Amino acid sequence: MDDRHDQEEIYSQRIKAGKRTYFFDVKATRGQDYYLTITESKRRQNGDDSVSYEKHKIFLYKEDFLKFVDALQDAVDYVREELLSPEEVAELDRPRDYDDRDQPRRETERPAFDPNRSDDSF
């Protein structure tokens, strides 16, 4: 019996950026219709010293991938060319060392899909 859920996670990548973490997850519906979820998760310290996460999610469907990438690249190019100093552009262009956890996971390293997992459980 095929016990698949409404969506299957195909690929996942996490990018840590200060107090924020971004998740890029490729998923498929039962009908093999692919889409991407982009989640921003920000850690919050509550008044009672507990921690919570504020999350914002974007669903991007395959028919919009190219338009999205083009618009994102146009916006980044505008910032680089019109708003940043040459020093700031040079800083953006310098090679970076990434934590292994920020690299795409190989298929064998990916956990089985769990619809109840928290995006912060990596």
Side-chain angles (χ1 to χ4, degrees):
M1 174 190 263
D2 187 9
D3 191 30
R4 288 179 50 178
H5 302 279
D6 287 338
Q7 60 214 9
E8 177 187 356
E9 189 170 303
I10 306 294
Y11 171 90
S12 184
Q13 182 173 3
R14 177 179 73 170
I15 298 172
K16 292 186 69 73
K19 289 185 178 184
R20 288 181 168 81
T21 303
Y22 299 96
F23 299 91
F24 295 82
D25 298 311
V26 175
K27 299 181 180 185
T29 63
R30 287 182 184 154
Q32 292 305 106
D33 200 15
Y34 300 102
Y35 63 99
L36 171 68
T37 60
I38 303 170
T39 306
E40 175 198 42
S41 179
K42 184 175 181 182
R43 183 183 169 125
R44 298 259 184 210
Q45 188 74 36
N46 298 324
D48 62 358
D49 288 334
S50 64
V51 174
S52 64
Y53 293 89
E54 179 181 319
K55 297 178 184 180
H56 302 280
K57 190 171 280 203
I58 296 172
F59 289 82
L60 185 62
Y61 299 94
K62 68 180 184 218
E63 59 270 17
D64 299 322
F65 287 177
L66 291 178
K67 291 184 276 187
F68 186 90
V69 169
D70 287 345
L72 178 61
Q73 188 63 59
D74 288 347
V76 169
D77 289 346
Y78 178 82
V79 170
R80 290 174 60 94
E81 295 166 11
E82 302 295 330
L83 303 176
L84 298 182
S85 69
E87 294 80 19
E88 290 170 314
V89 172
E91 175 64 20
L92 289 177
D93 290 341
R94 78 173 171 80
R96 305 223 190 273
D97 290 325
Y98 292 100
D99 184 308
D100 286 343
R101 294 172 296 173
D102 292 336
Q103 298 303 313
R105 289 181 278 165
R106 291 184 205 100
E107 191 66 35
T108 57
E109 297 173 339
R110 292 192 190 120
F113 174 71
D114 178 359
N116 298 314
R117 94 168 154 91
S118 165
D119 285 338
D120 297 308
S121 64
F122 287 92

